[in-house]
Amino acid sequence: MRVLLWLMATTVSLALTVDESRADAVKFPFPVEIDAANGETGGLPNRVKHKQTGLLFVLVPAGEYRIGDDNLADSAEITVKLSAYYVAEREVAKGVIAAYLKWRLDTAMVSEVKLGEQKPTDDELLAVRLAALTFHELGWPFDIDLDSETSHRRDVLWREMEEQARSGDTDLKFQLSAAQREETLQILAKAEEGIKRLGPDADRRYGMAHFRNAGQIAEWAKARLLTEAEWEAAAKLHDEGKLPTIVNMLDHDVFEWCSDYYAHDYFRRKADLTNPTGPQRGKFSDEQIEAEVAVSSTRWATRLAARSAGVLRGGGVSKRRYARRGTLMDSSGVAKGIRLAFTAPTVENK
């Protein structure tokens, strides 16, 4: 059966005409503004704005979609049945990254450091905020822009404070010296300045994300990443002119993370899938293993690492229209961006 599609007008209004009366009628997972000018499909608005991030999302209605390509070694043309979902028109920009990092610093969770059940002291809260400055360990080195000396001093200071705080096998008791307190405040101030420097580039897409970065942003925004099937369905709809407001999905130099593990033969395992979420673990072909061995020089380690390979899609630098590649989730190299999505809410019978 041919893909079941709705016919969305190709002249979509880019301006947001907010319909306040519908905002509470459909239960979205986060606060939204509904774009009344672009209508609705099946009781769901075709376009909404995520208030927290400012991102605009467009609806992909439930239906059957043809994805994949029989002419490619790691693909096959298959039919997928997808529930309705929303896809962000743009990738996450640096301004959103800055907001997330600032939130993480301002709301540093006491649970990140074992402090016991008592209300934390001022010294303990300072220590927790310093502990939260592990952005570089979480793959955010380009955003806080701490110089190497300050970053090193942060690590040394944290180790000092943690060692002093140990009072048994469980809880930590932080009591900072005046010098430690002053230096902690200086380091935190530098980190906040680094985040503020993203301001002039707030609308520029962020293309240095590791997989865990993408997951952190999605969780913070109460959204998720696209599955690989959702990504390709949306990309093909965009090519057909049915999602005209989506930008940078295919024709730019940044790949986008999907939520799936990468397996070279995944598309060939079944011909008909309903809301597929990818294989249980990653898998490279023998040819891909050999190509990676040329870099890593260790075949068994490459094969093992491939079990946790994630899916990247898009990237205009590739000759392949709907480019697909597997990569280690914390690898550097190609530019990797974040495009958010969320499952459409259930519409109550009117």
Side-chain angles (χ1 to χ4, degrees), residues 81-346:
K81 299 176 183 178
L82 300 178
S83 299
Y85 64 98
Y86 285 85
V87 54
E89 293 180 351
R90 296 177 179 273
E91 291 173 346
V92 167
K94 289 187 174 183
V96 175
I97 300 298
Y100 164 73
L101 293 176
K102 185 67 165 62
W103 167 85
R104 189 174 189 277
L105 191 57
D106 288 346
T107 62
M109 300 300 179
V110 173
S111 60
E112 293 183 27
V113 180
K114 290 183 178 180
L115 294 178
E117 300 298 325
Q118 302 299 317
K119 182 178 179 180
T121 65
D122 290 344
D123 279 356
E124 288 172 336
L125 289 176
L126 270 181
V128 170
R129 294 192 78 209
L130 188 71
L133 272 186
T134 53
F135 297 149
H136 61 296
E137 296 171 13
L138 297 174
W140 299 108
F142 301 98
D143 294 310
I144 60 169
D145 197 25
L146 286 180
D147 60 83
S148 58
E149 182 179 348
T150 303
S151 182
H152 173 69
R153 186 56 194 152
R154 176 263 167 210
D155 294 341
V156 172
L157 181 60
W158 169 246
R159 284 196 295 270
E160 282 180 6
M161 291 161 56
E162 189 178 28
E163 193 64 32
Q164 292 169 2
R166 295 199 179 280
S167 60
D169 297 329
T170 54
D171 300 342
L172 299 179
K173 305 296 183 184
F174 288 94
Q175 291 183 325
L176 309 187
S177 68
Q180 287 175 328
R181 198 173 296 118
E182 181 179 356
E183 188 165 13
T184 298
L185 289 171
Q186 290 174 355
I187 292 173
L188 289 170
K190 277 200 171 185
E192 291 186 349
E193 283 301 312
I195 293 171
K196 287 179 183 177
R197 279 194 287 273
L198 287 173
D201 293 329
D203 294 329
R204 294 183 61 184
R205 65 178 179 268
Y206 183 78
M208 305 297 293
H210 292 176
F211 181 78
R212 55 186 169 179
N213 302 151
Q216 290 160 3
I217 290 292
E219 182 179 7
W220 169 70
K222 296 183 175 61
R224 60 175 174 81
L225 302 180
L226 290 160
T227 66
E228 185 175 8
E230 289 174 337
W231 187 96
E232 188 163 331
K236 288 190 171 182
L237 290 174
H238 172 64
D239 260 1
E240 294 168 8
K242 296 183 174 71
L243 294 178
T245 55
I246 287 183
V247 297
N248 293 335
M249 205 164 195
L250 296 167
D251 302 314
H252 71 315
D253 58 354
V254 176
F255 284 87
E256 296 176 0
W257 283 111
C258 293
S259 60
D260 311 38
Y261 284 117
Y262 171 88
H264 74 96
D265 60 348
Y266 180 65
F267 278 63
R268 301 183 183 277
R269 296 181 184 181
K270 293 182 179 179
D272 191 354
L273 298 167
T274 300
N275 292 323
T277 56
Q280 292 185 346
R281 64 187 183 191
K283 181 182 179 182
F284 283 175
S285 67
D286 290 341
E287 292 78 8
Q288 290 171 320
I289 292 290
E290 292 304 318
E292 291 292 330
V293 167
V295 178
S296 67
S297 72
T298 310
R299 186 173 287 98
W300 69 267
T302 302
R303 194 177 299 278
L304 181 62
R307 293 163 68 103
S308 61
V311 173
L312 291 174
R313 298 301 304 260
V317 292
S318 172
K319 295 180 181 179
R320 181 172 169 178
R321 181 58 179 162
Y322 304 106
R324 177 179 193 250
R325 66 182 294 170
T327 188
L328 301 183
M329 292 184 174
D330 59 352
S331 66
S332 53
V334 299
K336 299 175 285 291
I338 305 167
R339 188 180 297 271
L340 298 179
F342 64 93
T343 303
T346 302

